[in-house]
Amino acid sequence: MMSPLNDTKFSSAVFLLTGLPGQEDVHLWISVPFCLMYVISIVGNSLILFIVKTDSSLHEPMYIFLSMLAITDLALSIVTIPTILGIYLFNSREISLDACFAQLFFIHSLQCIESSLLLLMAFDRFIAIREPLRYASILTLPRTAKMGLAFVLRGVAVILPLPFLLRRFQYCRANVLSHSYCLHQEVMKMACSDIRINNIYGLFTTLLTMGLDSLLIFLSYVMIIKTVLSVVSHTECLRALNTCVSHLCAVLLFYTPEIGLSMIHRFGKGSSPILQILLGYISLLVPPLMNPIVYSVKSKHLRRRIIRALVK
């Protein structure tokens, strides 16, 4: 049983978030690109949602999945960037335990959902190229919605135990986190208890979600390339591959910094803290910023609708 003193210590504890170490004098200038990223992410993803909702010709599986991705990216920006701006604009570094647990739950669950949506979009491209005549009958709108909902529930269910596992601990070590937001692998290191269960469960969630999804995306593209290579016409082959370019860009934007960050956490003990912080920013902030731009540039149909909406 916890003593009253320890209980008080636990309930009043706060974590301190970190900006770019050694750059405190230019925090105000550093906040400018973050403000721009925030505005562009919000406007870009909101615009895609508006266009897909109002244009009935875009009510197809590909654009429904894109809308789900835009909602996820919007939520990810809203959950992370205000905390980051608080540090650089107001030097507001303190975050309570409950707020920290809530933030890490949303960050990890939204990343799992984004990974799942990229898998669904790979499946969509595979069906479109492999079975073009049966595409509409295989990926009906109700089936698309059910698949999306199932993966959202998976992301939430897998991550939900993390805050409760962290609440068991007492935090009596240095309370300075090395990022501008809360992550499970960072917070659990602050505990002065046995964290083996959290370590094992954290690895399990990563393998079950992003690990499995990335493997299935890779296999989907193996099958897509195999199908495309069987097409006799060189023009048709290029046209089929061109429909996958925007999705491939989204996959690379999401998984490349994630893999780099996990490699540094596990093997780069002597790596620069600034490198870790920058990779963390890239993994969380660049996909919500770039996904609307990539899809708008590559999809003529979507681009035309966006230009028409902006002109009006």
Side-chain angles (χ1 to χ4, degrees), residues 63-79:
Y63 294 106
I64 299 298
F65 289 140
L66 181 57
S67 297
M68 293 178 187
L69 189 68
I71 292 170
T72 307
D73 284 339
L74 265 175
L76 202 52
S77 296
I78 291 166
V79 165

Side-chain angles (χ1 to χ4, degrees), residues 92-242:
S92 175
R93 295 179 59 201
E94 288 191 1
I95 185 168
S96 69
L97 286 179
D98 288 337
C100 190
F101 295 158
Q103 187 183 48
L104 69 87
F105 164 74
F106 282 113
I107 288 175
H108 290 302
S109 57
L110 287 167
Q111 284 187 314
C112 288
I113 292 167
E114 179 140 355
S115 175
S116 302
L117 289 171
L118 291 173
L119 172 60
L120 286 176
M121 293 167 95
F123 178 68
D124 169 78
R125 292 300 82 210
F126 170 67
I127 297 296
I129 291 170
R130 185 72 178 260
E131 302 285 350
L133 300 178
R134 295 177 56 214
Y135 175 76
S137 61
I138 293 172
L139 281 178
T140 60
L141 290 183
R143 192 172 289 167
T144 300
K146 286 175 186 173
M147 288 164 66
L149 180 61
F151 277 112
V152 167
L153 292 175
R154 181 192 74 157
V156 171
V158 166
I159 300 301
L160 190 58
L162 291 182
F164 297 102
L165 287 171
L166 289 169
R167 278 199 71 83
R168 300 175 305 132
F169 297 143
Q170 199 177 348
Y171 297 92
C172 55
R173 292 184 182 165
N175 62 344
V176 181
L177 301 173
S178 60
H179 288 287
S180 307
Y181 41 81
C182 294
L183 296 174
H184 173 252
Q185 60 267 31
E186 286 280 317
V187 173
M188 71 176 180
K189 290 175 186 173
M190 302 293 152
C192 48
S193 313
D194 185 0
I195 60 170
R196 275 180 297 180
I197 291 174
N198 285 63
N199 252 325
I200 293 166
Y201 190 75
L203 182 61
F204 166 75
T205 57
T206 303
L207 292 175
L208 182 66
T209 54
M210 295 185 195
L212 181 61
D213 293 345
S214 57
L215 177 63
L216 292 174
I217 289 170
F218 174 74
L219 292 175
S220 296
Y221 271 97
V222 169
M223 298 299 290
I224 286 170
I225 291 168
K226 191 177 176 184
T227 304
V228 165
L229 290 177
S230 66
V231 176
V232 178
S233 167
H234 182 67
T235 308
E236 285 180 29
C237 179
L238 287 176
R239 192 182 297 133
L241 285 175
N242 192 48

Side-chain angles (χ1 to χ4, degrees), residues 244-261:
C244 301
V245 171
S246 50
H247 177 256
L248 267 174
C249 288
V251 169
L252 291 173
L253 283 170
F254 180 77
Y255 282 107
T256 306
E258 281 293 325
I259 292 168
L261 200 56

